[in-house]
């Protein structure tokens, strides 16, 4: 495992994003919607960096990979989502990889009739997108490596790490059937 982004670099980038968002959403009725589970670190740090009156809500995405299901099978659970109709919504997720998760979540949120809808991610993997949409805000572009830490997991492990680390093939081992986002 190799450290790709130090905790201090993350802190600075999230602080800068928070200030940018605070300026962009000044005077608005913002609801920040975090995607469980990967976004929890970013969500907590970002809202405190924004220093703006806002609401926090949650949505869950689970992707199922493995022999039993088609690759990329995605389940969205919006039972935890509060009423966001007429509100300005910012969707916050850990990483934009193929973009399918963000694309689906934006679709789901649109169905709840927000006044406006944008997205922010910590990491944006280069050259992997399979969708039209791009994140409106991001902190870091990264190469195509599997990363963990600061909320990101591998089979539920490593979310607690304060930095972002890259896993090599040896660390990755066998793929699991169920991946919680
Ligand atoms: P996408 O739908 O392909 O953009 O994938 C997004 C989801 O897959 C993220 O919310 C993560 O849960 C997971 N994911 C994608 N790449 C990585 C990675 O490098 N490390 C950990 N999780 C990842
Ligand atoms: Mg995940």
């Amino acid at each position: 495992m190799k450290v790709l982004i130090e905790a201090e670099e993350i802190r600075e980038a999230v602080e800068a994003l928070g200030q940018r968002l605070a300026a962009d959403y000044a005077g608005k009725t913002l609801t920040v919607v975090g995607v469980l589970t990967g976004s929890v670190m970013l969500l907590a740090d970002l809202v405190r960096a924004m220093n703006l009156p806002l609401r926090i809500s949650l949505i869950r995405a689970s992707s199922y990979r493995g022999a039993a299901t088609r690759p990329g099978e995605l389940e969205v659970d919006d039972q935890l989502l509060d009423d966001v109709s007429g509100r300005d919504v910012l969707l916050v997720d850990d990483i934009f990889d193929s973009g399918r998760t963000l694309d689906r979540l934006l679709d789901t949120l649109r169905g709840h009739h927000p006044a406006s809808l944008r997205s922010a991610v910590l990491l944006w993997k280069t050259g992997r997108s399979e969708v039209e949409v791009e994140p409106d805000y991001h902190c870091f572009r990264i190469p195509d490596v599997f990363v963990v830490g600061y909320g990101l997991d591998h089979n539920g492990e490593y979310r607690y790490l304060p930095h972002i680390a890259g896993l090599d093939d040896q660390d990755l081992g066998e793929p699991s059937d169920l991946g919680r986002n």
Side-chain angles (χ1 to χ4, degrees):
M1 222 197 279
K2 181 170 110 223
V3 176
L4 289 187
I5 309 172
E6 299 282 359
E8 182 60 21
E9 291 177 77
I10 298 173
R11 202 193 60 72
E12 282 169 16
V14 172
E15 183 72 33
L17 178 57
Q19 285 176 19
R20 192 173 155 208
L21 287 166
D24 290 359
Y25 283 99
K28 295 272 176 62
T29 59
L30 183 61
T31 299
V32 179
V33 176
V35 182
L36 292 173
T37 301
S39 80
V40 293
M41 308 286 177
L42 177 61
L43 178 68
D45 288 342
L46 189 61
V47 294
R48 285 177 292 180
M50 285 173 69
N51 190 28
L52 195 80
L54 53 78
R55 294 184 186 192
I56 298 172
S57 198
L58 296 166
I59 196 164
R60 195 166 82 170
S62 307
S63 45
Y64 295 81
R65 304 187 191 90
T69 47
R70 280 189 292 122
E73 191 97 33
L74 188 68
E75 221 165 75
V76 170
D77 179 354
D78 61 1
Q79 288 189 68
L80 287 171
L81 189 71
D82 300 294
D83 183 12
V84 296
S85 63
R87 299 190 69 87
D88 298 288
V89 170
L90 178 71
L91 180 65
V92 172
D93 204 358
D94 50 5
I95 188 166
F96 185 98
D97 182 15
S98 74
R100 295 200 173 279
T101 304
L102 202 81
D103 195 38
R104 266 287 298 285
L105 288 167
L106 288 170
D107 250 12
T108 301
L109 286 169
R110 250 176 241 117
H112 291 265
H113 311 292
S116 72
L117 181 58
R118 286 184 196 162
S119 61
V121 294
L122 182 76
L123 306 175
W124 186 355
K125 262 190 209 176
T126 303
R128 297 261 307 164
S129 182
E130 297 171 12
V131 297
E132 291 293 312
V133 71
E134 292 187 341
D136 296 294
Y137 303 90
H138 69 281
C139 291
F140 301 98
R141 295 295 295 247
I142 59 163
D144 183 13
V145 288
F146 195 86
V147 290
V148 295
Y150 197 71
L152 289 136
D153 75 305
H154 176 244
N155 294 344
E157 304 288 343
Y158 310 118
R159 292 195 200 274
Y160 65 92
L161 294 173
H163 53 260
I164 297 287
L167 295 188
D168 51 37
D169 292 346
Q170 195 181 312
D171 299 320
L172 286 168
E174 288 296 302
S176 80
D177 284 313
L178 174 65
R180 284 262 184 271
N181 288 277

